[in-house]
CSV table of all heavy atoms in Angstrom, one decimal:
chain,number,residue,atom,x,y,z
A,243,THR,N,-6.4,3.7,2.1
A,243,THR,CA,-6.6,5.2,2.1
A,243,THR,C,-6.1,5.9,3.3
A,243,THR,O,-5.5,7.0,3.1
A,243,THR,CB,-8.2,5.4,2.0
A,243,THR,OG1,-8.8,4.7,1.0
A,243,THR,CG2,-8.5,6.9,1.9
A,247,ILE,N,-3.1,8.8,3.0
A,247,ILE,CA,-3.2,10.1,3.6
A,247,ILE,C,-2.0,10.5,4.5
A,247,ILE,O,-1.4,11.6,4.4
A,247,ILE,CB,-4.5,10.3,4.3
A,247,ILE,CG1,-5.7,10.2,3.4
A,247,ILE,CG2,-4.6,11.7,5.1
A,247,ILE,CD1,-7.1,10.2,4.1
A,309,LEU,N,-4.2,18.1,4.8
A,309,LEU,CA,-5.6,18.6,4.8
A,309,LEU,C,-6.2,18.4,3.4
A,309,LEU,O,-7.4,18.0,3.4
A,309,LEU,CB,-5.6,20.0,5.3
A,309,LEU,CG,-5.2,20.4,6.7
A,309,LEU,CD1,-5.2,21.8,7.0
A,309,LEU,CD2,-6.0,19.7,7.7
A,310,SER,N,-5.5,18.7,2.4
A,310,SER,CA,-6.0,18.6,1.0
A,310,SER,C,-6.3,17.2,0.7
A,310,SER,O,-7.4,16.8,0.2
A,310,SER,CB,-5.0,19.1,0.0
A,310,SER,OG,-4.7,20.5,0.3
A,311,VAL,N,-5.4,16.2,1.0
A,311,VAL,CA,-5.6,14.9,0.7
A,311,VAL,C,-6.8,14.2,1.5
A,311,VAL,O,-7.6,13.5,1.0
A,311,VAL,CB,-4.4,14.0,0.8
A,311,VAL,CG1,-4.6,12.5,0.5
A,311,VAL,CG2,-3.3,14.5,-0.1
A,312,ASN,N,-6.8,14.6,2.8
A,312,ASN,CA,-7.9,14.1,3.6
A,312,ASN,C,-9.2,14.7,3.1
A,312,ASN,O,-10.3,13.8,3.1
A,312,ASN,CB,-7.7,14.6,5.0
A,312,ASN,CG,-8.7,14.0,6.0
A,312,ASN,OD1,-8.6,12.8,6.4
A,312,ASN,ND2,-9.6,14.8,6.4
A,313,TYR,N,-9.4,15.9,2.7
A,313,TYR,CA,-10.6,16.5,2.2
A,313,TYR,C,-11.0,15.7,0.9
A,313,TYR,O,-12.2,15.3,0.7
A,313,TYR,CB,-10.4,18.0,2.0
A,313,TYR,CG,-11.5,18.6,1.2
A,313,TYR,CD1,-12.7,18.9,1.9
A,313,TYR,CD2,-11.5,18.9,-0.1
A,313,TYR,CE1,-13.8,19.6,1.3
A,313,TYR,CE2,-12.6,19.5,-0.8
A,313,TYR,CZ,-13.7,19.8,-0.1
A,313,TYR,OH,-14.8,20.3,-0.7
A,314,PHE,N,-10.0,15.5,0.0
A,314,PHE,CA,-10.3,14.8,-1.2
A,314,PHE,C,-10.8,13.4,-0.9
A,314,PHE,O,-11.8,12.8,-1.5
A,314,PHE,CB,-9.1,14.8,-2.1
A,314,PHE,CG,-9.3,14.0,-3.4
A,314,PHE,CD1,-10.0,14.7,-4.4
A,314,PHE,CD2,-8.8,12.8,-3.6
A,314,PHE,CE1,-10.2,13.9,-5.7
A,314,PHE,CE2,-9.0,12.1,-4.8
A,314,PHE,CZ,-9.6,12.7,-5.8
A,315,ALA,N,-10.1,12.6,0.0
A,315,ALA,CA,-10.5,11.3,0.3
A,315,ALA,C,-11.9,11.2,1.0
A,315,ALA,O,-12.7,10.3,0.7
A,315,ALA,CB,-9.5,10.7,1.3
A,316,ARG,N,-12.3,12.3,1.7
A,316,ARG,CA,-13.6,12.3,2.3
A,316,ARG,C,-14.7,12.5,1.3
A,316,ARG,O,-15.8,12.1,1.5
A,316,ARG,CB,-13.6,13.4,3.4
A,316,ARG,CG,-14.9,13.4,4.2
A,316,ARG,CD,-14.8,14.3,5.4
A,316,ARG,NE,-14.7,15.7,5.1
A,316,ARG,CZ,-13.8,16.5,5.1
A,316,ARG,NH1,-12.6,15.9,5.7
A,316,ARG,NH2,-13.8,17.7,4.8
A,317,ARG,N,-14.3,13.2,0.3
A,317,ARG,CA,-15.3,13.6,-0.8
A,317,ARG,C,-15.5,12.3,-1.7
A,317,ARG,O,-16.7,12.1,-2.2
A,317,ARG,CB,-14.8,14.7,-1.6
A,317,ARG,CG,-14.8,16.0,-0.9
A,317,ARG,CD,-16.2,16.5,-0.5
A,317,ARG,NE,-17.0,16.7,-1.8
A,317,ARG,CZ,-17.1,17.9,-2.4
A,317,ARG,NH1,-16.4,18.9,-1.9
A,317,ARG,NH2,-17.8,18.1,-3.4
A,318,VAL,N,-14.5,11.5,-2.0
A,318,VAL,CA,-14.6,10.5,-3.0
A,318,VAL,C,-14.8,9.1,-2.4
A,318,VAL,O,-15.1,8.1,-3.0
A,318,VAL,CB,-13.3,10.4,-3.9
A,318,VAL,CG1,-13.2,11.8,-4.6
A,318,VAL,CG2,-12.1,10.1,-3.1
A,319,SER,N,-14.6,9.0,-1.0
A,319,SER,CA,-14.7,7.7,-0.4
A,319,SER,C,-15.3,7.9,1.0
A,319,SER,O,-15.4,9.0,1.4
A,319,SER,CB,-13.4,6.9,-0.3
A,319,SER,OG,-12.4,7.6,0.6
A,320,GLU,N,-15.5,6.8,1.7
A,320,GLU,CA,-16.0,6.9,3.1
A,320,GLU,C,-14.8,6.8,4.1
A,320,GLU,O,-15.1,6.8,5.3
A,320,GLU,CB,-16.9,5.7,3.3
A,320,GLU,CG,-18.2,5.7,2.5
A,320,GLU,CD,-19.0,4.5,2.7
A,320,GLU,OE1,-18.7,3.6,3.6
A,320,GLU,OE2,-20.2,4.4,2.1
A,321,SER,N,-13.6,6.8,3.7
A,321,SER,CA,-12.4,6.6,4.6
A,321,SER,C,-11.7,8.0,4.6
A,321,SER,O,-11.3,8.5,3.5
A,321,SER,CB,-11.5,5.5,4.2
A,321,SER,OG,-12.2,4.2,4.1
A,322,SER,N,-11.4,8.4,5.8
A,322,SER,CA,-10.6,9.6,6.0
A,322,SER,C,-10.2,9.7,7.5
A,322,SER,O,-10.6,8.9,8.3
A,322,SER,CB,-11.3,10.9,5.6
A,322,SER,OG,-12.5,11.1,6.5
A,323,LEU,N,-9.2,10.5,7.8
A,323,LEU,CA,-8.8,10.7,9.1
A,323,LEU,C,-9.7,11.4,10.0
A,323,LEU,O,-9.8,11.1,11.2
A,323,LEU,CB,-7.4,11.5,9.1
A,323,LEU,CG,-6.2,10.8,8.6
A,323,LEU,CD1,-5.0,11.7,8.6
A,323,LEU,CD2,-5.9,9.5,9.3
A,324,TRP,N,-10.4,12.3,9.4
A,324,TRP,CA,-11.5,13.0,10.2
A,324,TRP,C,-12.6,13.5,9.2
A,324,TRP,O,-12.4,13.6,8.1
A,324,TRP,CB,-11.0,14.1,11.0
A,324,TRP,CG,-10.3,15.2,10.2
A,324,TRP,CD1,-10.9,16.3,9.7
A,324,TRP,CD2,-8.9,15.3,10.0
A,324,TRP,NE1,-10.0,17.1,8.9
A,324,TRP,CE2,-8.8,16.5,9.2
A,324,TRP,CE3,-7.8,14.5,10.3
A,324,TRP,CZ2,-7.5,16.9,8.8
A,324,TRP,CZ3,-6.6,15.0,9.8
A,324,TRP,CH2,-6.4,16.1,9.1
Side-chain angles (χ1 to χ4, degrees):
T243 302
I247 294 173
L309 295 176
S310 302
V311 175
N312 186 77
Y313 173 78
F314 179 76
R316 191 171 65 248
R317 292 293 298 270
V318 301
S319 68
E320 299 179 355
S321 301
S322 63
L323 289 178
W324 61 84

